[in-house]
Amino acid sequence: MTRGSEALQELDLTRDGFWRSFLAFALMLPATIAILAAVRLLAGLPNTAGLFASPALLMAVVGAELVAVLAVPALLIGLAPHLVHAPRFTSFVIAWNWAGIVSASLMAVPAAVFAIGWSYPSLAGLHALAFGAIVLRLRYCVAHAAFGPQSRIAAPIVLASVIADYGVVRMFGLLPL
């Protein structure tokens, strides 16, 4: 987050690296389990029955995590199709995918604390907002590093990610509001 575009050089920015970056989703599994446990409790389902006792909820959580990471790059492709062939876009998608692991892991912290009973829903919500702020900063740094400061697209990407996350969570029925 502090090294900017220098950090991109540590990623495999080749075509193979682009496709390999989608394997990051598999590394989100531990975070997914913590988030699933919290979502089950919020849905009124006890975790003692087993995390996978509700396949529909499991698929909703997994689907929401995958779609949430893919939503912003897909939105950029839809709004600016010429970006698909830009090297900066490829770098952005690679960094975005790998940052998805960090984002999911950060959001799993308040979920896990709530799921094990060390927090109650409103406090867990505040914790999620605090960790969410770190995630937004990470997303800003990824966009800023990939597209450069002169592009001024980092802030709109972060805003798009907030709107996309909200839409995805609502679409999968994971937000009771």
Side-chain angles (χ1 to χ4, degrees), residues 79-139:
L79 294 175
H82 64 280
L83 280 178
V84 174
H85 302 292
R88 288 183 176 265
F89 181 73
T90 303
S91 299
F92 169 74
V93 172
I94 292 168
W96 190 264
N97 288 346
W98 290 114
I101 300 168
V102 177
S103 299
S105 299
L106 285 168
M107 296 313 294
V109 172
V113 169
F114 171 68
I116 60 176
W118 291 352
S119 178
Y120 46 90
S122 58
L123 183 58
L126 288 174
H127 291 154
L129 286 175
F131 280 88
I134 298 168
V135 168
L136 293 180
R137 173 68 177 156
L138 173 64
R139 290 176 177 178

